Amino acid sequence: MRMQKRPRGRPKSLFKESSAGTMQSLDRALGVLTSVARLERAALSDLAREIGVPTATTHRILTTLQKHGFVAFDEERQEWMIGIEAYRTGAAYLRRSSVLEIGRPILRRLMQDSGETANLAVPDGAEVVFVGQVETPNPIRAFFPPGARTPMYASGTGKAILAALSDAALTRVLSDTDPVAFTDHTRLPGTGLKDDLSATRARGWSHDREERYQGMSCIGAAIFDSKGEPCAGISVSGPTVRFNEERVPELAALVTRAARDITHLSGGQNPD
């Protein structure tokens, strides 16, 4: 009887795979890792409850991740936190992205010209993730730690990206959103967001007026890739009292110029 050859590229695995073609153990490990990153510090019982995995299993996953440096354990506080290898992995992503590399000096210029904190964010599903920031020396200022996330509809960079999407892509992103009114000014999908995105698209920049944080405002613009699709966003943010009607056009001009410069220097193209 002839032996059937195993298809190339599909070696026999030591791990049991799920019907979806993924390894359950790896799924769980990555779930633990992302939960630790999101919570910053967490006790074992809290992590197990967060991901819905038994405490003993969660502990085995954590000790394996600890062995490889992806998480660390604070003996004094009995809490788990992100390890140095997770940082190195994230830093490799930052190094490979030309938008982030090119954006650094432009972010600094934007902060100096505007006097406000300059931010760079990339889309991830229905959220934006802040990957770069240059803080203003002003004592009252905005701050988003690297890796911080916020829903697109409640962010200056997020709304700029949403406004630049095709109708189909916009519908797909918003369908994955679980709307939350962070402040009385939050524009939720179906309650004013559509009109706001239309205005953003027409003028080329977004305006977040205390829609995520009370007392803080933001102006953003989209950055485009080589296909003319939005791949990132840049913004300035700060106290609403410094974003008055007289100053907003000036800030918007600085932000849109920065977005155009990063688009051009990274090989992207602005849509017609």
Side-chain angles (χ1 to χ4, degrees):
M1 183 175 67
R2 292 182 62 186
M3 297 293 291
Q4 185 176 3
K5 291 184 178 181
R6 184 177 301 279
R8 290 185 178 181
R10 293 182 179 275
K12 185 176 180 181
S13 174
L14 297 175
F15 300 95
K16 182 179 179 181
E17 295 190 353
S18 72
S19 60
T22 62
M23 290 184 290
Q24 186 183 55
S25 58
L26 183 56
D27 279 340
R28 285 179 170 179
L30 292 174
V32 170
L33 185 61
T34 54
S35 293
V36 172
R38 185 172 62 253
L39 297 173
E40 296 187 359
R41 281 178 170 269
L44 173 61
S45 57
D46 293 334
L47 279 171
R49 188 163 49 249
E50 176 79 11
I51 62 173
V53 172
T55 302
T57 302
T58 303
H59 186 262
R60 288 198 300 272
I61 292 170
L62 286 167
T63 53
T64 303
L65 291 171
Q66 182 186 31
K67 176 183 175 182
H68 294 280
F70 282 90
V71 299
F73 185 62
D74 186 330
E75 294 281 354
E76 183 177 347
R77 297 177 59 172
Q78 294 291 294
E79 291 178 333
W80 292 90
M81 52 194 172
I82 282 294
I84 188 64
E85 284 302 322
Y87 169 78
R88 290 191 179 116
T89 301
Y93 169 77
L94 296 178
R95 287 194 298 271
R96 79 164 176 81
S97 174
S98 61
V99 167
L100 300 177
E101 283 295 316
I102 291 167
R104 287 191 181 99
I106 296 175
L107 275 177
R108 181 160 298 280
R109 184 193 74 195
L110 179 58
M111 183 279 292
Q112 292 171 341
D113 290 346
S114 67
E116 303 295 346
T117 295
N119 316 285
L120 190 66
V122 295
D124 182 25
E127 299 177 313
V128 286
V129 181
F130 290 91
V131 295
Q133 183 180 79
V134 177
E135 288 186 77
T136 175
N138 277 316
I140 303 176
R141 59 186 182 269
F143 173 71
F144 305 100
R149 294 171 171 268
T150 193
M152 283 198 187
Y153 66 85
S155 159
T157 52
K159 291 200 299 179
I161 293 170
L162 286 177
L165 293 174
S166 66
D167 290 342
L170 177 60
T171 299
R172 186 166 58 250
V173 170
L174 293 182
S175 67
D176 292 336
T177 299
D178 186 14
V180 175
F182 297 101
T183 74
D184 292 340
H185 304 285
T186 305
R187 296 174 183 268
L188 299 176
T191 59
L193 181 63
K194 183 177 180 181
D195 291 341
D196 187 47
L197 294 180
S198 295
T200 296
R201 191 177 300 111
R203 67 189 176 218
W205 50 273
S206 65
H207 193 177
D208 163 10
R209 302 174 180 88
E210 304 187 1
E211 294 164 40
R212 181 63 176 87
Y213 298 104
Q214 196 71 37
M216 303 298 289
S217 289
C218 175
I219 291 175
I223 296 165
F224 297 90
D225 62 18
S226 59
K227 298 178 182 179
E229 298 175 350
C231 61
I234 190 168
S235 67
V236 290
S237 52
T240 299
V241 293
R242 296 205 298 261
F243 282 62
N244 54 53
E245 291 185 7
E246 292 76 18
R247 194 165 179 243
V248 163
E250 172 196 346
L251 294 173
L254 293 173
V255 171
T256 52
R257 174 193 168 196
R260 285 196 302 270
D261 287 349
I262 296 176
T263 295
H264 173 70
L265 293 172
S266 62
Q269 60 177 357
N270 285 289
D272 295 332

